Amino acid sequence: MVFDKLTQEIKVFQSHPRDMRVLLLTNMTFAWVLPIVEIFIGAYIMRKYEHEPDKAVYVAMFQLAQYVGIVFTSVGNGWLLKHVRVAHLYCCGILLSALSLMGMMLITDLTAEALVVLGVVMGAALGVFWTNRYLITLKATTDDNRNYFFGLESLGFTVGQIAVPLLVGALFASLDGSELMGVRLDVAMGYRIVTGIATLVALVACANTLRGNFPNPEAKRFFYLRFDLLWRKMLLLASLKGMVQGFLVTAPAILIMKFFGDEGALGLIQGVSGGLTAILVYVLGRVTKPKHRTWVFGAGLVLFLVGTVVNGLAFCAWGVIVFVLCKVIFQPLHDLAYFPIMMRTIDIVSRREQRDEYTYIMTHELGLFVGRAFGLLLFMALAFGVSEDFALMFALPIVAALQMLSLPLARNITKERE
């Protein structure tokens, strides 16, 4: 029975266009690298600054520098698309993300200045990755199959978020204090091993990408200051999304390292909580239609708000577990609805305004950055102005409550007709 169901799902996958299948395989392969970038880099920085009183601020500082790098490359990428194949740029983003991570692990003296520079460099790599990923996805999918696309992709990312933290946590636990050929192994060596493996996986993802036939956008002007009202609403929605995005990466690592103290616990909690949502998101992607997107969107928003409030009120180990559980379920639910809404909006406004789709992908990154900067600066202001614990308790509920404004805005956007 299980075999028959699996065979049926494979047939559904094969029924979709070839370029869409190639892109899904690439993204699901790279899903084994992203958790290292998104989850363990915060723990790595916390470990490097473990003797500093405000070590969580360094994680937020790195994250903000990373988002600055993303904005710069989203603009530069528009010019590169006139001269370089989008598939090659996407591969460069994948490889540079892994290589910049490796470069960070090799630096022994990680000063605040070096941290900011590395954040910008890694953000530049991620900017090339995400902007070209959006563009390829927009071209390879339609509004009718995007729920399935993002449902299956979220399943792949969720499986990666389950397996990778567990495997990395187990590796760190086995290496710490052991010896190999007279060389004493520690967690720092573990990080180097993990980044080396991540680079190999990135190469496999790149090789698969080159199998696809992804067209470049037409070489048009892509920088504008005036936009249709619908796109201005979408930019506001992007800013609300960006407010919590920085916390999705930094907060779990900061809180788990604070209350549990090691990467093994970080991996276990992320992995177990991720297992509860993997199949759920895939099923939602298979059965839901475009009209259901705001319901999925709203469910994710409410769940995240509950997790942040519980963490803020309890501020203890079990509160962190509840928050991480809510966060891991919220993220794929939110993305399952958000990205199809964004891409349908781009389809509509690009036809209305007769502009290249990359215009909207680039400005979308600017909208995200406004929210990301607000969220992280709020955290740093509370940490410096009051205390790090105060910031961890109250910054999350504040941005989660503000993000609830996304629901009526998303409903208004989805009502728009072409």
Side-chain angles (χ1 to χ4, degrees), residues 96 120 180 184 301 338 343:
L96 288 172
V120 172
L180 178 65
R184 186 173 178 79
L301 293 175
Y338 179 87
M343 291 187 176

Side-chain angles (χ1 to χ4, degrees), residues 86-355:
V86 64
H88 292 163
L89 288 172
Y90 188 46
C91 289
C92 284
I94 291 173
L95 280 176
L96 288 172
S97 299
L99 291 174
S100 58
L101 182 64
M102 182 177 288
M104 183 176 189
M105 301 305 165
L106 293 175
I107 295 176
T108 54
D109 185 21
L110 194 61
T111 63
E113 293 79 8
L115 193 67
V116 170
V117 171
L118 285 167
V120 172
V121 171
M122 187 169 289
L126 288 171
V128 176
F129 168 75
W130 284 110
T131 51
N132 289 294
R133 174 183 175 274
Y134 291 147
L135 183 60
I136 290 175
T137 304
L138 192 65
K139 298 286 189 180
T141 61
T142 64
D143 192 53
D144 291 332
N145 59 28
R146 282 172 187 154
N147 277 33
Y148 174 79
F149 178 91
F150 286 106
L152 183 55
E153 185 186 65
S154 293
L155 172 64
F157 283 134
T158 306
V159 170
Q161 287 181 327
I162 296 168
V164 173
L166 289 172
L167 292 172
V168 173
L171 174 66
F172 287 172
S174 63
L175 284 180
D176 199 16
S178 60
E179 290 189 5
L180 178 65
M181 299 176 64
V183 178
R184 186 173 178 79
L185 304 176
D186 55 14
V187 173
M189 179 62 72
Y191 275 109
R192 294 189 182 101
I193 293 171
V194 167
T195 51
I197 296 171
T199 303
L200 293 176
V201 174
L203 286 168
V204 174
C206 289
N208 183 72
T209 302
L210 297 177
R211 294 172 51 236
N213 182 27
F214 305 114
N216 277 45
E218 296 180 20
K220 295 180 180 177
R221 173 186 170 192
F222 62 89
F223 192 83
Y224 295 87
L225 296 176
R226 294 179 180 274
F227 292 97
D228 186 272
L229 177 61
L230 177 60
W231 186 245
R232 296 202 298 271
K233 292 177 183 177
M234 190 66 224
L235 290 177
L236 178 58
L237 188 65
S239 296
L240 291 169
K241 173 182 171 65
M243 276 195 312
V244 302
Q245 247 188 348
F247 292 104
L248 295 181
V249 177
T250 59
I254 293 170
L255 289 167
I256 291 172
M257 291 295 285
K258 180 178 183 66
F259 286 105
F260 295 91
D262 63 78
E263 289 84 353
L266 175 58
L268 181 62
I269 295 171
Q270 286 276 158
V272 172
S273 55
L276 299 175
T277 190
I279 303 301
L280 168 66
V281 173
Y282 177 69
V283 170
L284 286 173
R286 281 274 279 117
V287 303
T288 58
K289 305 297 181 186
K291 63 182 180 181
H292 300 127
R293 285 170 186 163
T294 53
W295 290 98
V296 176
F297 194 67
L301 293 175
V302 171
L303 194 62
F304 185 69
L305 178 62
V306 169
T308 60
V309 170
V310 169
N311 174 70
L313 293 175
F315 203 61
C316 62
W318 71 264
V320 172
I321 293 173
V322 171
F323 165 69
V324 173
L325 173 62
C326 291
K327 171 260 176 190
V328 170
I329 299 174
F330 153 76
Q331 195 166 358
L333 285 179
H334 184 272
D335 290 349
L336 178 63
Y338 179 87
F339 286 123
I341 291 172
M342 178 195 82
M343 291 187 176
R344 178 180 176 274
T345 306
I346 292 176
D347 287 338
I348 294 172
V349 294
S350 63
R351 283 194 282 268
R352 277 185 188 176
E353 300 185 315
Q354 293 297 301
R355 296 173 182 174

